[in-house]
Amino acid sequence: MKPMGPLPQEFVDQAGVLTIGGHAADALVASAADTPLFVYDMTAIATRIARFRDAFPSIDLHYAIKANPLPALLAAIAPLVDGLDVASAGELAKALMVKPARAISFAGPGKRDDELTDAIRAGATLNVESEGEAERGFAIGDALGLAPRMAVRVNPDVELRGSGMKMGGRASPFGVDAARAATLVRRIVAAGAHWRGFHIYAGSQALDAQAIVDTQAATLVLAARLSEEAGLAPPLVNLGGGFGVPYFAGDVALDVEQVGAALGDALAARAPVLADTRFAIELGRWLVAEAGVYLTRVVDVKQSQGETFVVVDGGLNHQLAASGNFGTVVRRNYPLAVAARMGEAAAGEVSVVGPLCTPLDRLGDRIALPPVAVGDLIAIFLAGAYGASASPSGFLGHPAASELVVERS
Ligand SMILES: *Cc1c(COP(=O)(O)O)cnc(C)c1O
């Protein structure tokens, strides 16, 4: 028997039925075309945003849309956040449907000229990732007769401890090394572009509040040092994010109030060069991951050499991360449940596998579940971030999953 991650309690009703945003799982499936289906609870997302606002009263909140770019979800989140962070021209186009360009920033190490053109023409801020990219941006701005808005993305000399994906403290394709950032700021100003400040992103999926506190404090010091070197005060410092969610057994939810209190203290003591600067935190996963549930239907239950396999109609083609093949070293189980038997005692050990012809397509490995029969709905939780859009939906030619946004009435 292997453990599963913690079940998000907000989806369990008194009768032991899975309800998402107040709607029973089988009713949601009936209202969509069929399984497989992603359901996103916008009320759960709004609750997290409200919690962030309370914990970080003076900080702007940006949503990193690569976590979940579904247009209906973006439209619902956009009015609740101060900015949207995008990483391609495709995401930029989606963001521009729901937010003014001035509230959009564009990061990513391989922006093509046509992408730079789209961003400069729209008036979005480029988080510039290299000197070469800045020069291409100036040339495009000149050709368009527009001054580009440019922040400098810094490859920090700090890393986010305990982060699932480290993006600082080492050689990196992201951003310019801190040692060259001030020179690039001066070049941006000299070229007549609008310098918007710094973007400093040190990692992702951290559950250790103290690690985030330390990283944010170091990021503030770095931003102050670079501003002094450049001789200019930044309008905005994007402090990154990296807030994690509990996916696996033993994971404990992040104490965002602790992070907020410590950041408040650090800001109160910040260097004078940052006195008039605004600060932003950009979050993807923490805002949306727990609000999403992936619903599949049991197609077969079979035995092999003493083990029971529950075969469902969707798998890593829609929810790659739950199979352990998206950025994890050791495969561990996401939380799973039988939608009609939430909280019921386990009947035995099963493995839940998807329909794809590869042994990688395993959503639950030797987990304890209540009785399961063909036709039952199986829910895989923590499906709101890096699910549908981060999975190889073309692999093996099954249809794409449906996606549904719900609100509690
Ligand atoms: C991916 C990414 C994010 C979002 O990360 P989460 O772990 O989903 O919060 C934020 N900023 C940048 C620069 C990113 O690349």
Side-chain angles (χ1 to χ4, degrees), residues 146-171:
L146 294 169
R149 294 162 65 86
M150 292 180 163
V152 171
R153 180 163 179 187
V154 181
N155 172 30
D157 25 33
V158 293
E159 70 172 18
L160 178 50
R161 263 191 300 117
S163 150
M165 216 175 279
K166 292 190 174 58
M167 296 179 80
R170 57 187 66 194

Side-chain angles (χ1 to χ4, degrees), residues 177-258:
D177 291 349
R180 298 204 310 274
T183 305
L184 180 54
V185 169
R186 284 195 296 263
R187 171 74 186 120
I188 287 170
V189 173
H194 298 296
W195 179 53
R196 301 301 308 148
F198 292 112
H199 175 218
I200 306 177
Y201 180 78
S204 174
Q205 179 51 20
L207 290 172
D208 178 353
Q210 192 57 48
I212 296 178
V213 167
D214 294 347
T215 300
Q216 289 181 339
T219 301
L220 274 181
V221 169
L222 175 62
R225 193 186 86 211
L226 298 178
S227 304
E228 276 157 14
E229 267 175 53
L232 291 159
L236 180 77
V237 172
N238 180 331
L239 297 166
F243 294 14
V245 295
Y247 286 108
F248 305 118
D251 283 357
V252 175
L254 175 67
D255 185 346
V256 290
E257 287 73 22
Q258 182 189 337

Side-chain angles (χ1 to χ4, degrees), residues 85-111:
D85 291 332
V86 305
S88 69
E91 287 191 351
L92 174 65
K94 285 184 177 177
L96 284 167
M97 310 275 282
V98 294
K99 206 78 178 161
R102 282 181 170 259
I104 299 172
S105 53
F106 184 176
K111 302 183 198 75

